[in-house]
Amino acid sequence: MLLQPKKIPIHVGHKFIAVVNQKVAQMLDVYIADRVILKNTTRHTQTTAIIDITESKTIDNNDIGLYHATWEELKTKRGDRISITTAPKPESIAY
């Protein structure tokens, strides 16, 4: 799924966090704190991020909100497209 990035000017250290709305979360079958793989298809960068879900209208069905560290890690610029896929669950949660 390709989404338009929106910068969220919140600094949370070196944690990579992305925000999608409820509809996108349902389509991806992701829940709060799940891990996702984000790829900037324009700049060919990628990272794993923690997902957050919003009910706010500021993040539309075609948008993905990126906290400051995530925006920087992906070298995002306005007009880029971000690919989002679910990441495998860590082995540690199976124990």
Side-chain angles (χ1 to χ4, degrees):
M1 173 176 277
L2 283 176
L3 300 171
Q4 174 106 15
K6 282 191 169 186
K7 189 172 187 177
I8 299 174
I10 297 177
H11 297 262
V12 290
H14 295 288
K15 292 182 182 179
F16 301 125
I17 300 174
V19 181
V20 294
N21 70 18
Q22 296 254 353
K23 186 173 181 179
V24 172
Q26 287 175 344
M27 287 191 302
L28 292 169
D29 193 27
V30 294
Y31 301 90
I32 292 173
D34 278 356
R35 295 169 0 133
V36 293
I37 299 168
L38 303 177
K39 295 179 184 177
N40 185 328
T41 60
T42 307
R43 316 234 177 260
H44 308 290
T45 54
Q46 101 174 30
T47 194
T48 301
I50 298 168
I51 201 72
D52 198 0
I53 301 169
T54 184
E55 294 179 8
S56 169
K57 302 288 185 204
T58 59
I59 303 295
D60 197 14
N61 293 338
N62 299 319
D63 297 334
I64 183 166
L66 302 177
Y67 278 38
H68 179 79
T70 312
W71 183 275
E72 293 295 318
E73 180 72 11
L74 293 171
K75 298 178 175 49
T76 309
K77 304 282 187 213
R78 291 195 187 278
D80 288 356
R81 291 286 186 207
I82 303 296
S83 166
I84 181 172
T85 56
T86 57
K89 305 267 186 222
E91 288 183 30
S92 61
I93 66 168
Y95 299 102

